[in-house]
Amino acid sequence: MLSVSSNQSPKPPAQNNWASWLLIGIALAAIIALAVFNSTGKAQRASESAGVEATVVDVSVSGMAFVPASIDVPQGAHLVVNFTNVGDQVHDLKIGDNETGRVEPGKTVELDAGIINESTQGYCTIAGHKAQGMVLQINTTDDAAGAASTAGSAGTAGDAQHEHHHSASHPDVPSAAERTKKRDDFKAFDARLAKAEGTTHEETWTMTEEEVEVAPGVKQTRWLFNGQAPGPTLRGKVGDKFKITIKNEGTMGHSIDFHAGEVNPDENMKSIDPGQSLTYEFTANRAGIWMYHCSTAPMSLHIANGMAGAVVIDPPELGDADAEYAMIASDIFLGDENGADADRVSNGEYDLMAFNYYPNQYDLEPLHAKVGDKVRIWLLNVGPDQPLSFHVVGEQFDTAYKEGDYLIKDRRDSGSQALDLLPAQGGFVEMTFNEPGTYSFVNHIMTAAEKGQHGKIVVTQ
């Protein structure tokens, strides 16, 4: 029998494992300590090198506001903000030249704002969020925090106003002469409306942000459904089923709200983060022309930037028409490479008006009809703010349908001269031209027509 003395016995396996795990634990603890030192100690070390004690504050969000909305710091203090995004969409915080970058919901980021020598503002740079109230007021107190250094100063409140989505110089608004001047390279949005086909409608759309021409000589970024403004028009009948998959290929959160659907908005209308998708399903229970739009705050800015369109659900008794068009009325807000000017949108300071998101385009490329034809024009006002009073010069409507019901239908002894629609309202008009000629259609709120909500119908024999 082989014998081994006790002082030469190998260590039991359990003891070896225990020692190994102890070494691993020590290594992990060292790594974590180093990470904490680098992340949380960075501001402290910077403050110490400047001879200023760091003032650390916690800031979160509630809806479209920072909490707290105002903070007091000693003059000359080195401000450090622990920013926690407890909201349901992406936010950020910028103070002077220092910013957190995009912060996903549920995440915390430390912002080293530098030395604060005077009162200033921080704000969220996500388009439209500042205009909705995401401003952090930073007030300096007389309790100086030591020798103030100008290095890393957050700047003045006036400096903070010049955020990236607010143009320092507003674009020149094209005149009526410039908007109606013929151009060989111009192509109007196709307003023809196809008939409803099938009972199940399944489509996949993308959401993007692209630079496009929004008026003659004016290019800016628009936020788009399927690369177009207005978005694709869906058409069906009562009882049809719709299944629309939305993919966000942009750089910010977007969403969609179909007024044609009667569904729980909690899941169907939530913001879709970049790279994510959502499938929206509904059954069309009621006839009419229904608006859809991005419902991510601020909705006014997303609609102004092009994220709106129509779902046409035919009334059961709707007959055929010889020509059928869809006109989406909208306000136009000029801006820059980041999109419509968010502050002007928030203030309702529109620059132009349009049908199908481009002013006067149907003056350049008129609609067409023939004498004796029944012409049906579907109308939807997506706003976001201004009303529509649709009128055709030299013609009367024998049928006018608004918000689910007929005002008049196939009348010969009376008629309608204008259909009035507030934002998110829709309907259609029908007319038959008795003589050839060029007939203008307008928003009879004449200042809106003069700002671009104007077009022509060329009628031939």
Side-chain angles (χ1 to χ4, degrees):
M1 175 181 287
L2 179 65
S3 63
V4 179
S5 62
S6 60
N7 61 351
Q8 293 178 342
S9 299
K11 294 179 181 179
Q15 187 174 354
N16 284 332
N17 290 342
W18 178 85
S20 299
W21 282 111
L22 178 61
L23 291 173
I24 292 172
I26 293 172
L28 286 174
I31 293 171
I32 293 171
L34 181 62
V36 170
F37 175 78
N38 285 334
S39 61
T40 62
K42 177 176 60 179
Q44 181 179 353
R45 294 194 304 274
S47 295
E48 290 172 352
S49 66
V52 179
E53 182 180 354
T55 298
V56 181
V57 297
D58 295 325
V59 174
S60 62
V61 297
S62 176
M64 296 297 284
F66 289 113
V67 179
S70 178
I71 61 174
D72 295 331
V73 299
Q75 183 178 15
H78 186 159
L79 176 62
V80 177
V81 178
N82 291 322
F83 174 60
T84 302
N85 183 1
V86 298
D88 59 1
Q89 59 180 296
V90 174
H91 294 294
D92 64 14
L93 174 60
K94 181 175 183 179
I95 301 174
D97 294 329
N98 306 299
E99 53 188 313
T100 60
R102 302 294 173 94
V103 181
E104 300 290 334
K107 301 294 185 181
T108 298
V109 174
E110 180 189 89
L111 173 62
D112 184 350
I115 303 298
I116 306 298
N117 287 320
E118 54 189 329
S119 296
T120 186
Q121 287 183 333
Y123 56 92
C124 180
T125 72
I126 307 297
H129 287 199
K130 181 184 177 185
Q132 288 290 297
M134 293 202 73
V135 175
L136 175 65
Q137 182 63 43
I138 303 166
N139 304 308
T140 57
T141 66
D142 293 335
D143 183 16
S149 169
T150 58
S153 172
T156 66
D159 294 334
Q161 298 293 333
H162 297 289
E163 62 200 88
H164 77 276
H165 60 75
H166 182 83
S167 301
S169 59
H170 196 66
D172 292 333
V173 179
S175 67
E178 291 171 321
R179 299 195 306 268
T180 55
K181 183 179 179 180
K182 293 290 185 181
R183 290 180 287 148
D184 293 336
D185 60 344
F186 180 76
K187 182 65 177 175
F189 186 90
D190 190 351
R192 294 174 298 176
L193 184 61
K195 293 182 178 181
E197 295 184 358
T199 58
T200 299
H201 311 269
E202 187 169 348
E203 297 190 14
T204 298
W205 297 352
T206 59
M207 298 186 290
T208 56
E209 296 124 34
E210 305 175 28
E211 185 179 75
V212 298
E213 185 178 78
V214 301
V218 181
K219 286 188 175 182
Q220 67 191 48
T221 298
R222 271 195 168 154
W223 309 342
L224 306 171
F225 290 114
N226 245 28
Q228 63 182 70
T233 298
L234 298 172
R235 190 173 192 182
K237 298 179 180 179
V238 173
D240 283 6
K241 297 184 182 302
F242 293 81
K243 183 177 181 181
I244 311 299
T245 297
I246 312 293
K247 295 182 178 181
N248 188 350
E249 296 181 359
T251 63
M252 68 185 76
H254 294 299
S255 58
I256 193 164
D257 171 7
F258 283 103
H259 290 193
E262 296 176 280
V263 299
N264 181 343
D266 296 343
E267 288 298 318
N268 291 285
M269 301 177 197
K270 66 182 181 182
S271 284
I272 309 165
D273 291 332
Q276 302 298 311
S277 64
L278 178 146
T279 297
Y280 192 122
E281 298 183 65
F282 65 92
T283 299
N285 297 320
R286 307 169 194 269
I289 178 169
W290 303 89
M291 181 178 177
Y292 68 80
H293 60 92
C294 179
S295 59
T296 299
M299 281 184 261
S300 58
L301 184 60
H302 287 253
I303 293 169
N305 272 316
M307 300 196 84
V311 179
V312 175
I313 305 299
D314 293 353
E317 71 280 9
L318 186 70
D320 291 333
D322 297 295
E324 207 165 3
Y325 299 99
M327 288 288 152
I328 312 299
S330 66
D331 318 342
I332 302 295
F333 298 82
L334 302 184
D336 57 20
E337 68 276 6
N338 297 293
D341 187 310
D343 287 341
R344 291 176 66 86
V345 174
S346 180
N347 294 333
E349 298 172 353
Y350 65 95
D351 297 291
L352 296 165
M353 301 291 289
F355 290 112
N356 293 332
Y357 275 99
Y358 194 99
N360 295 98
Q361 62 179 322
Y362 301 109
D363 287 310
L364 299 175
E365 290 190 6
L367 308 182
H368 293 276
K370 293 183 178 180
V371 171
D373 281 355
K374 176 191 280 189
V375 178
R376 180 183 296 137
I377 299 180
W378 288 86
L379 299 160
L380 175 67
N381 184 7
V382 301
D385 294 327
Q386 301 306 313
L388 170 67
S389 176
F390 187 79
H391 170 73
V392 177
V393 178
E395 191 50 74
Q396 298 168 348
F397 310 140
D398 55 53
T399 297
Y401 178 97
K402 175 184 176 181
E403 284 294 285
D405 204 1
Y406 288 93
L407 303 178
I408 59 172
K409 184 179 180 184
D410 295 327
R411 297 298 293 266
R412 296 294 178 265
D413 55 349
S414 65
S416 169
Q417 60 195 309
L419 185 65
D420 60 313
L421 299 170
L422 291 174
Q425 290 187 323
F428 67 82
V429 294
E430 294 177 351
M431 68 208 88
T432 300
F433 294 93
N434 300 320
E435 300 177 3
T438 299
Y439 297 75
S440 293
F441 60 89
V442 301
N443 184 344
H444 217 288
I445 300 172
M446 294 312 301
T447 52
E450 291 157 0
K451 288 182 181 293
Q453 228 157 36
H454 186 289
K456 297 174 182 176
I457 306 172
V458 175
V459 179
T460 57
Q461 289 287 0

